[in-house]
Amino acid sequence: MEEIYQKLKKEAEKLAKIPGNSRGEILKTHFNYIKIKKGEEGVRQVGGMMERLGCPIKLKEINSLNWYPEYLSVLVILVAKELFKWSDSDIYNWGYETPKFSFIVRLMMKHFLSLKITYQKAPVYWQGHYDFGELEVPDFSEKEKYFIIRVKDYKFHPITCEFHKGYYVKIAEFGTRNKKFFIEETKCMFKGDPYHEFKTTWQEI
Ligand SMILES: [Zn+2]
């Protein structure tokens, strides 16, 4: 446990220096996911570690629409990953399952009519969640069955790339029927690229 704490402490110190805020909804959704996967005990463990790391957060006190430092959300993912020994693909699945727990997403999805419209709205959706960075959809081809997502000025920890991959696939599925999606990260700020770029392709099923 001490080893995990020391490792997380280093991460927390690095992350805390990175500016940028996100809506409490993200943090809240993270804890709700932990609750579903690991129960109240899991929430208590993650909360306890966050407190030890100098970032006390109480699920009941998080306001969905308030702004919180984004690094807290990233740290919650890292803490859960360490405590529960989750793999990268577990984190992908976390991202994948997250949109259905978010009331903001459910609200927005009511109005989404097609995959194309979903992705045209994605940049606005980003701005609703973050007060920094940018999401663009520079290329969308219905004919060739793919689209590109670019995320700029968002660099906390590589684990968020796995999380976001799962997330984007789920959002794409919301906007469509009878399609199976595949996603790969083709550019990454952690590999020296100027932004993260994700290519999503699909097959009709
Ligand atoms: Zn990346």
Side-chain angles (χ1 to χ4, degrees):
M1 197 48 128
E2 198 48 35
E3 208 176 299
I4 290 178
Y5 168 73
Q6 291 302 341
K7 187 175 169 188
L8 288 168
K9 184 80 192 154
K10 267 188 215 142
E11 292 289 0
E13 280 164 8
K14 264 197 279 174
L15 290 174
K17 295 191 183 108
I18 308 170
N21 301 301
S22 55
R23 296 282 185 200
E25 176 70 4
I26 293 181
L27 209 47
K28 202 170 190 165
T29 306
H30 283 354
F31 275 104
N32 283 331
Y33 180 80
I34 292 164
K35 196 166 164 181
I36 284 162
K37 289 283 164 183
K38 294 285 172 183
E40 292 288 354
E41 176 58 20
V43 171
R44 204 190 54 76
Q45 283 178 293
V46 173
M49 182 57 89
M50 289 296 288
E51 198 170 341
R52 245 192 112 188
L53 293 167
C55 310
I57 300 167
K58 291 205 166 53
L59 175 57
K60 285 192 188 88
E61 291 168 11
I62 303 168
N63 183 319
S64 292
L65 295 173
N66 285 359
W67 294 106
Y68 296 83
E70 166 65 3
Y71 85 83
L72 293 176
S73 300
V74 178
L75 191 57
V76 166
I77 296 178
L78 290 172
V79 167
K81 187 178 191 297
E82 288 299 326
L83 292 180
F84 309 136
K85 303 198 180 348
W86 283 346
S87 66
D88 284 1
S89 71
D90 290 327
I91 303 302
Y92 173 93
N93 286 329
W94 185 351
Y96 179 79
E97 289 186 42
T98 281
K100 50 181 190 201
F101 297 114
S102 163
F103 93 91
I104 295 178
V105 174
R106 289 203 307 265
L107 202 70
M108 291 188 76
M109 288 307 151
K110 272 194 205 165
H111 307 288
F112 287 159
L113 301 168
S114 69
L115 184 60
K116 189 162 187 178
I117 290 172
T118 299
Y119 274 87
Q120 279 168 349
K121 284 180 184 266
V124 179
Y125 176 76
W126 176 275
Q127 287 163 17
H129 281 78
Y130 301 99
D131 72 352
F132 67 101
E134 213 179 327
L135 184 148
E136 292 173 356
V137 184
D139 200 2
F140 183 105
S141 171
E142 199 96 57
K143 194 165 152 262
E144 290 171 50
K145 298 188 171 54
Y146 78 91
F147 59 85
I148 304 287
I149 294 173
R150 251 178 226 161
V151 176
K152 295 178 172 171
D153 301 321
Y154 182 98
K155 192 182 180 191
F156 286 85
H157 189 282
I159 199 64
T160 59
C161 304
E162 284 307 308
F163 185 91
H164 285 154
K165 263 159 63 178
Y167 194 95
Y168 299 142
V169 165
K170 188 63 172 185
I171 297 281
E173 286 179 1
F174 270 131
T176 186
R177 266 182 225 135
N178 310 324
K179 286 182 175 62
K180 182 163 174 52
F181 292 91
F182 305 89
I183 191 163
E184 62 170 322
E185 190 174 22
T186 46
K187 289 195 173 102
C188 182
M189 289 182 85
F190 291 101
K191 292 174 182 159
D193 295 310
Y195 42 75
H196 307 271
E197 189 173 272
F198 302 89
K199 183 173 186 182
T200 305
T201 53
W202 69 84
Q203 287 172 359
E204 305 293 336
I205 49 169

